[in-house]
Amino acid sequence: MPNTVDFPTTPFIRWFVKDNEGLDRGTRLKLLEGPFTSRAALVAAGINTLLVCSVAVALHPTVFFISWLVVDMVIWIIRWFLLQRFVASDKPRFPYATDLSLFFGLLWAAEIGIGTAGCIISQDAVLQVLACTSAVSMTGAAAMRNQGVPRYAFMQILLMDIPMKLATLFQPEPILRVLILQAPMYLIGLWVLLNNLNANLTKAYVAETQSTHSATHDKLTGVLNRLGILNILTASLSAKVNEDKRFCVLCLDLDGFKKINDAYGHAAGDSVLVCFSAMISRVVRKGDAVARIGGDEFIVTMPDSDKASASLIAERIIKNLDEYTDRNPDYRGLGVSIGIAETLPLELSSVEQVLCRADIAMYNAKSAGKNCYRFG
């Protein structure tokens, strides 16, 4: 699956992918991936249109049909080159890559529509049947492949279908003009189909996102859970080995939390946990991660940081918790003990070793009088 797809930047092309704007960015990017995901689909479409164009040139070697064949091949080659940049992750990005890919998709659809119109006007029954059958199959393929961006898919369908229908006005067989009467029902049906397909695909992506979030986040506080933070720690250790970077891990445990739970009930304890999680999330840096790993135990990962940065964050957490207890007299006596483990460049450590060092440092902080931090 491509990992370089991004939203188009030009206003004209961006308008075609403005569907589902109420969704989060990640889900919208997944919906946009349709036009960029399959070499096989592009190859099949290219063979199909190439055959029709070649038959048209063989039967009627006119300037129009020869030009159609050349234009079709040039557009296909450009689209193939652009697709390669998205499917192959080692290919470098270039400016307006998404815009160009979507634009040439529209140009390809218009070229098919105009070529099909020429086949109808030619009055050649073989070409008429072959070209119309091909165009209809291409509209169905566009609907299925680009269901994540229905506005874009429908524009492709219009560019292929309308020239074909209008061409019936310029040939002598009147019965073919029935296609014009049929057009509204056909296009409305495709629009309804596109929106139904998009709704189902969107539901699937949203459900997948929610499932992933539930698996890696704590239900009470909304921060990461044990699985979520372990995934980040594993990735951080891998990045450190590959990039010679250091990072710090903070292990936090609330002091006096059990007394609050016993005195005021679990609802009050849950409120403290939610407030504490929110406070930590506000204090840490943008790239840091916060997790509740159970009870009143928390972990903070700080990539690309040293002891000075970790100390600053630990001091801010302690200070903010003190201010919180000052505002809430019932929670006086609540504190936090913090253990910090720093990993150095070229140091080979497992996730378990790093967490163990941070945990030992946290217990050293408790032994030192609580509501303070120590290094492992």
Side-chain angles (χ1 to χ4, degrees):
M1 184 169 290
N3 57 7
T4 55
V5 176
D6 203 351
F7 295 116
T9 55
T10 55
F12 172 71
I13 298 297
R14 194 173 180 87
W15 181 86
F16 291 106
V17 298
K18 280 192 173 181
D19 314 279
N20 307 305
E21 285 198 314
L23 300 173
D24 65 273
R25 176 183 172 85
T27 302
R28 289 185 63 214
L29 285 175
K30 282 186 178 181
L31 291 168
L32 180 58
E33 285 174 353
F36 309 96
T37 52
S38 175
R39 292 187 182 101
L42 187 58
V43 169
I47 292 174
N48 178 64
T49 56
L50 179 62
L51 286 174
V52 176
C53 294
S54 299
V55 171
V57 170
L59 295 177
H60 303 279
T62 63
V63 173
F64 175 84
F65 286 124
I66 293 174
S67 300
W68 184 28
L69 175 60
V70 173
V71 170
D72 182 76
M73 292 176 64
V74 170
I75 291 177
W76 186 89
I77 291 171
I78 293 173
R79 295 187 72 208
W80 177 261
F81 169 78
L82 291 170
L83 180 63
Q84 291 294 93
R85 292 300 184 109
F86 286 100
V87 176
S89 59
D90 59 332
K91 300 285 185 179
R93 279 295 298 273
F94 56 92
Y96 303 107
T98 304
D99 303 70
L100 287 171
S101 295
L102 295 175
F103 173 73
F104 277 99
L106 295 174
L107 201 62
W108 168 79
E111 165 252 309
I112 291 176
I114 293 171
T116 303
C119 292
I120 292 175
I121 295 173
S122 73
Q123 301 179 40
D124 187 314
V126 173
L127 274 186
Q128 288 176 340
V129 172
L130 186 62
C132 288
T133 302
S134 172
V136 171
S137 68
M138 288 293 97
T139 59
M144 293 302 298
R145 189 183 188 199
N146 302 328
Q147 57 187 279
V149 279
R151 190 181 298 187
Y152 177 76
F154 193 66
M155 179 54 66
Q156 283 190 310
I157 291 169
L158 290 177
L159 290 171
M160 286 186 276
D161 191 67
I162 289 180
M164 176 177 66
K165 300 295 174 36
L166 292 178
T168 61
L169 297 172
F170 302 95
Q171 54 79 46
E173 183 56 58
I175 194 66
L176 284 179
R177 290 169 192 145
V178 171
L179 289 175
I180 295 178
L181 298 177
Q182 173 256 2
M185 294 176 288
Y186 175 71
L187 292 174
I188 290 172
L190 278 176
W191 178 248
V192 172
L193 172 65
L194 271 171
N195 280 277
N196 287 338
L197 289 172
N198 178 257
N200 291 334
L201 186 63
T202 300
K203 288 178 183 177
Y205 282 150
V206 169
E208 179 185 356
T209 300
Q210 291 175 342
S211 176
T212 302
H213 186 274
S214 297
T216 56
H217 286 73
D218 180 55
K219 292 181 180 179
L220 175 63
T221 62
V223 297
L224 293 168
N225 59 16
R226 181 180 291 274
L227 175 62
I229 203 66
L230 288 178
N231 290 341
I232 289 178
L233 272 170
T234 301
S236 296
L237 282 171
S238 299
K240 185 180 77 66
V241 170
N242 295 330
E243 302 173 17
D244 273 358
K245 290 186 177 181
R246 65 178 68 196
F247 71 94
C248 292
V249 176
L250 281 64
C251 184
L252 301 85
D253 186 82
L254 285 172
D255 304 316
F257 179 74
K258 186 176 183 302
K259 292 181 180 179
I260 293 173
N261 248 345
D262 294 341
Y264 303 107
H266 290 289
D270 288 348
S271 177
V272 170
L273 293 174
V274 171
C275 292
F276 185 65
S277 301
M279 181 267 289
I280 300 175
S281 300
R282 288 193 304 269
V283 166
V284 298
R285 305 170 308 172
K286 186 176 180 180
D288 299 339
V290 179
R292 177 185 175 222
I293 60 173
D296 58 345
E297 297 180 34
F298 294 81
I299 286 178
V300 175
T301 60
M302 298 180 60
D304 196 17
S305 64
D306 54 18
K307 287 185 176 182
S309 299
S311 298
L312 182 62
I313 295 298
E315 289 168 1
R316 287 178 180 174
I317 292 173
I318 293 170
K319 179 182 177 182
N320 277 263
L321 183 59
D322 287 340
E323 292 174 354
Y324 173 76
T325 55
D326 288 341
R327 294 192 303 268
N328 299 271
D330 291 340
Y331 298 153
R332 283 180 181 164
L334 187 66
V336 58
S337 296
I338 304 175
I340 304 173
E342 180 190 28
T343 62
L344 303 174
L346 304 180
E347 176 187 340
L348 297 178
S349 300
S350 66
V351 172
E352 291 77 12
Q353 289 171 331
V354 174
L355 288 177
C356 182
R357 284 164 47 198
D359 194 55
I360 292 173
M362 183 267 292
Y363 278 105
N364 289 338
K366 283 186 177 295
S367 300
K370 301 182 180 180
N371 207 34
C372 60
Y373 65 90
R374 290 291 185 270
F375 284 94

